[in-house]
């Protein structure tokens, strides 16, 4: 890996390419200490990970190549680029992000002493734009949690004889579902390089079922008793959208597009990666200021405008009635200034999104029932389809994919099986 950059565009004259190229050479503001006026990019970067003895490095996933440094803290279990604790990153910038995976060497049958703490140190070495070599050391520490013998033998927290679970473990309350979703996504995408995407989807499903079986609260064989703590409540939703994303569904994607989407994901931070997995949706109407909307077919209304951000595309979607008003040029009449402001608001917000993003996303303005509306409809939860009885509220999504509600019902049924 060279740490190179990739842009997807129809031509070199397209704004997506030209603006992205300009942002490659972005500089620090002049008032930034030591770095003022310098290029933000850095060169010849390497990353080394050191750990305490209780766990080892399994590997890393990102824009990197192995340096084949087999130290004592390297695990036999390889994830991504494994078998080493040091990697070459080539060129980097402040947004470059690497996922590092670890393996615990001390299993539950040999608990650690009480009060034992773990240590991780990330050593990042790179050449600054001014020619000097810099070394940044980031050290983290935290406690270990030991599962007691009584907890291992305890029944389900809601009664019955289920798998051993403790609903009050520090592991449960420290779970970061956003970071976990991105780590799972990177791992799933990496597995598609050597496995069939259908097998990867089944692996994602099995992993989610195991997680819910271990950390959810429920009575065995009683799906209606299934409950997820707030720390886990969004995780199934993230994986539902991952299963339908362009990372695992290659239908209608060229090899170039698939490689581009996966490469950008492999070097993006958690916030941007979550937007790629589960896009954000804003709704604009006369009823008040812009509101976050559910990524659902029911959010499509004739009298609203939707702003969809998928990271790679920014879509302004006009409902059927709004599009008719615009075609009638009501926004050009002085007495309909509120309608003109309604049309301009999502465009201004879309420009703010594109001004701060690299690579520059493709900007799409479309109307309901028109061809480019597919960029929005393909991302929505298909709660209303052509098979729905009574039609329901919102726009129909023509797909055979299950909705989030059906997905969660199957998840609960499989998780509570004894």
């Amino acid at each position: 890996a060279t740490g190179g950059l990739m842009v997807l565009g129809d031509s070199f004259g397209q704004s997506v390419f030209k603006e992205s190229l300009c942002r490659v050479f972005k500089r620090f503001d002049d008032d930034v200490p030591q770095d003022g006026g310098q290029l933000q990019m850095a060169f010849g970067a390497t990353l080394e990970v050191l750990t305490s003895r209780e766990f080892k490095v399994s590997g890393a996933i990102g824009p990197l190549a192995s340096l084949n440094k087999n130290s004592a803290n390297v695990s036999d279990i390889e994830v991504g680029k494994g078998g080493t604790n040091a990697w070459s990153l080539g060129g980097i910038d402040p947004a470059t992000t690497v996922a590092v995976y670890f393996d615990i060497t001390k299993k539950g049958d040999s608990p650690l002493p009480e009060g034992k703490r773990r240590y991780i140190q990330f050593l990042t070495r790179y050449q600054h734009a001014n020619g000097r070599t810099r070394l940044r050391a980031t050290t983290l520490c935290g406690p270990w949690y030991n599962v007691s013998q009584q907890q291992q033998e305890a029944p389900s927290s809601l009664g019955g004889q289920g798998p051993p679970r403790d609903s009050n473990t520090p592991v449960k309350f420290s779970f970061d579902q956003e970071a976990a979703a991105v780590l799972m996504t990177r791992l799933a995408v990496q597995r598609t390089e050597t496995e069939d995407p259908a097998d990867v989807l089944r692996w994602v499903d099995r992993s989610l079922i195991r997680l819910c079986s271990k950390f959810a609260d429920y009575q065995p064989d009683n799906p209606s008793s299934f409950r997820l703590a707030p720390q886990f409540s969004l995780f199934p939703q993230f994986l539902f959208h991952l299963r339908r994303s362009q990372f695992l569904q290659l239908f209608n994607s060229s090899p170039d597009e698939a490689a581009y989407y996966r490469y950008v994901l492999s070097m993006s931070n958690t916030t941007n990666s979550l937007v790629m997995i589960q896009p954000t949706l804003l709704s604009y109407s006369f009823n008040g200021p812009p509101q976050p909307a559910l990524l659902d077919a029911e959010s499509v209304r004739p009298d609203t405008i939707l702003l969809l951000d998928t990271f790679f595309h920014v879509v302004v979607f006009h409902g059927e009635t709004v599009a008719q008003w615009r075609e009638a040029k009501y926004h050009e009449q002085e007495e309909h200034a509120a309608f003109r402001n309604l049309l301009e608001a999502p465009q201004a917000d879309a420009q703010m999104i594109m001004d701060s993003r690299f690579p520059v996303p493709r900007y799409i303005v479309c109307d309901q029932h028109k061809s480019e509306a597919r960029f929005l409809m393909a991302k929505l939860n298909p709660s209303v389809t052509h098979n729905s009885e009574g039609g329901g509220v919102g726009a129909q999504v023509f797909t055979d994919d299950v909705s989030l509600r059906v997905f969660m019902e199957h998840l609960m049924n499989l998780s509570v099986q004894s």
Side-chain angles (χ1 to χ4, degrees):
T2 63
L5 303 171
M6 192 181 296
V7 175
L8 181 67
D10 296 330
S11 68
F12 290 110
Q14 198 176 32
S15 61
V16 169
F17 173 77
K18 293 192 293 186
E19 293 183 28
S20 296
L21 182 62
C22 292
R23 294 179 192 182
V24 170
F25 303 99
K26 189 175 181 180
R27 295 176 179 269
F28 290 105
D29 294 335
D30 292 335
D31 57 353
V32 175
Q34 298 182 352
D35 296 330
Q38 297 285 348
L39 290 172
Q40 292 190 4
M41 68 174 75
F43 314 94
T46 62
L47 173 66
E48 183 176 0
V49 180
L50 307 177
T51 64
S52 49
R53 290 180 295 179
E54 302 83 30
F55 64 118
K56 296 183 177 182
V57 179
S58 290
I61 297 178
L64 42 74
S66 173
L67 290 177
N68 298 316
K69 185 175 181 181
N70 195 347
S71 301
N73 71 328
V74 174
S75 172
D76 295 331
I77 301 174
E78 294 190 12
V79 177
K81 297 289 192 306
T84 181
N85 71 331
W87 301 268
S88 170
L89 279 69
I92 61 172
D93 60 54
T96 302
T97 307
V98 174
V100 183
Y101 297 80
F102 300 94
D103 174 37
I104 299 176
T105 56
K106 289 276 190 178
K107 304 300 181 182
D109 54 355
S110 56
L112 294 165
E114 289 296 328
K116 184 71 174 178
R117 300 183 71 82
R118 66 183 187 276
Y119 295 91
I120 310 173
Q121 188 171 66
F122 299 95
L123 300 176
T124 309
R125 189 187 303 271
Y126 60 91
Q127 184 179 15
H128 192 266
N130 61 15
R132 295 182 178 178
T133 298
R134 291 185 176 180
L135 173 65
R136 185 179 67 187
T138 305
T139 306
L140 308 172
C141 73
W144 285 107
Y145 173 68
N146 285 323
V147 180
S148 66
Q149 187 66 27
Q150 291 81 2
Q151 290 169 339
Q152 291 179 358
E153 297 174 353
S156 159
S157 60
L158 290 181
Q161 296 299 317
R165 301 189 309 281
D166 180 4
S167 60
N168 296 313
T169 66
V171 175
K172 182 174 182 176
F173 290 115
S174 63
F175 184 74
D176 187 334
Q177 55 191 335
E178 288 86 2
V182 175
L183 289 169
M184 277 283 291
T185 301
R186 288 204 188 196
L187 193 51
V189 168
Q190 190 267 337
R191 292 175 72 120
T192 59
E193 297 178 5
T194 56
E195 301 178 29
D196 186 86
D199 294 333
V200 177
L201 283 172
R202 284 190 286 270
W203 171 80
V204 170
D205 292 340
R206 289 194 301 269
S207 300
L208 178 59
I209 293 169
R210 284 199 303 269
L211 181 80
C212 292
S213 296
K214 184 172 181 61
F215 290 105
D217 294 320
Y218 59 85
Q219 295 174 350
D221 301 317
N222 183 4
S224 63
S225 67
F226 183 91
R227 299 291 184 274
L228 279 174
Q231 293 82 0
F232 294 84
S233 58
L234 296 177
F235 190 71
Q237 182 176 308
F238 290 140
L239 295 195
F240 168 79
H241 289 288
L242 169 64
R243 297 175 84 262
R244 304 183 71 239
S245 71
Q246 66 270 31
F247 302 116
L248 299 183
Q249 299 289 347
L250 301 181
F251 178 75
N252 206 29
S253 292
S254 69
D256 287 348
E257 288 176 313
Y260 168 71
Y261 294 139
R262 292 172 176 179
Y263 182 73
V264 173
L265 172 75
S266 73
M267 61 190 305
S268 298
N269 59 30
T270 300
T271 302
N272 288 338
S273 297
L274 286 174
V275 174
M276 299 178 203
I277 299 167
Q278 180 178 317
T280 61
L281 191 65
L282 284 175
S283 177
Y284 299 76
S285 69
F286 290 116
N287 297 327
Q291 297 289 335
L294 293 175
L295 194 65
D296 193 284
E298 293 185 354
S299 296
V300 178
R301 303 293 175 87
D303 58 346
T304 62
I305 302 175
L306 297 176
L307 175 61
L308 177 75
D309 179 15
T310 72
F311 188 87
F312 302 106
H313 302 95
V314 176
V315 182
V316 176
F317 176 93
H318 299 104
E320 185 176 13
T321 303
V322 173
Q324 292 171 352
W325 290 341
R326 188 197 64 227
E327 292 300 319
K329 300 187 183 302
Y330 287 151
H331 59 289
E332 296 180 0
Q333 301 174 14
E334 193 62 36
E335 61 268 27
H336 296 298
F339 179 56
R340 181 170 62 250
N341 294 335
L342 180 66
L343 289 177
E344 293 174 351
Q347 297 178 11
D349 290 345
Q351 190 61 50
M352 288 179 58
I353 293 172
M354 294 188 292
D355 287 344
S356 60
R357 181 161 297 167
F358 180 87
V360 175
R362 179 181 171 187
Y363 180 53
I364 299 168
V365 179
C366 61
D367 298 336
Q368 189 175 359
H369 306 309
K370 298 297 177 66
S371 62
E372 288 193 322
R374 68 186 186 276
F375 287 98
L376 171 78
M377 302 304 294
K379 296 296 182 181
L380 299 178
N381 169 39
S383 60
V384 183
T385 69
H386 54 289
N387 295 321
S388 300
E389 296 182 3
V393 179
Q396 289 185 351
V397 180
F398 295 94
T399 180
D400 291 327
D401 292 346
V402 300
S403 66
L404 178 60
R405 180 183 61 81
V406 175
F407 177 80
M408 289 300 300
E409 288 175 355
H410 285 291
L411 174 62
M412 290 187 288
N413 289 332
L414 293 170
S415 298
V416 302
Q417 288 180 358
S418 57

